[in-house]
Amino acid sequence: MAIRLQLPTEPAWIDLPHGVRVRCRPLTTATNAAAMACAARKVTALAESIAGRREVGMPCDDLPDLSDPDRRDGYSHALYAASLGHACILEWQGRGIEDPATDQPAPLTAENIGALMLIPEIARAFVDRLWRPLGEVVAEGNVCAPSPGGSSAGGANTAEPAEQSAAPAPAAA
């Protein structure tokens, strides 16, 4: 089975909940890996900051609780969505993206992209829809399916069995 490389190469608009639209670069392996690394680095730095505060007796009430693995994973995913947004979003539009101080359209900044990705429904839809073209390639059957488990389960044998040239070694008494 052949892999047809028909992934988008040009920016495209993605419709998100609440009337928000974002124009994004296509997702690439490098962009995805960079976003994952950025999120992991930020979570690690935050965990170290929390530990440092606790060590000197400073309060940590204003920081997320990263001691719970589920919350830590959730926070990491939120940072991943924001990192993807920073890397991919070129422009945005929609009635919901306003500067609260002026009621005017908010400028496209890293801080504002991060704030947008704090809305769970938006972040989930953004990541899902950014990944959608890759999923469509897989759904079309344009990639090879993984082999079942086992060393010979992936295909038919092409070699004849080896001849036994000597008797097996005797068993220990």
Side-chain angles (χ1 to χ4, degrees), residues 12-172:
W13 284 98
I14 297 174
D15 293 323
L16 299 174
H18 308 291
V20 174
R21 294 182 75 215
V22 291
R23 188 168 155 265
C24 297
R25 291 180 182 90
L27 183 62
T28 65
T29 301
T31 302
N32 185 60
M36 290 185 339
C38 180
R41 189 175 56 254
K42 287 181 178 182
V43 168
T44 298
L46 182 58
E48 290 170 357
S49 175
I50 292 169
R53 280 187 176 192
R54 286 191 176 133
E55 203 171 284
V56 296
M58 290 179 63
C60 299
D61 299 339
D62 59 327
L63 299 173
D65 177 13
L66 300 181
S67 63
D68 175 6
D70 293 334
R71 287 188 183 179
R72 185 179 180 114
D73 287 349
Y75 193 72
S76 180
H77 184 73
L79 290 172
Y80 167 71
S83 294
L84 278 179
H86 297 151
C88 295
I89 296 174
L90 299 170
E91 61 182 294
W92 60 18
Q93 55 185 228
R95 63 185 183 279
I97 306 177
E98 297 174 349
D99 184 333
T102 65
D103 290 331
Q104 297 297 315
L108 183 65
T109 64
E111 182 180 346
N112 286 341
I113 290 171
L116 181 67
M117 293 303 151
L118 289 177
I119 303 167
E121 187 178 9
I122 298 258
R124 183 175 41 255
F126 172 72
V127 171
D128 289 348
R129 292 173 188 160
L130 191 63
W131 271 90
R132 184 174 288 159
L134 299 171
E136 289 172 355
V137 168
V138 172
E140 288 176 2
N142 291 337
V143 296
C144 298
S147 295
S151 61
S152 62
N157 289 335
T158 58
E160 296 295 321
E163 291 183 28
Q164 230 175 351
S165 60

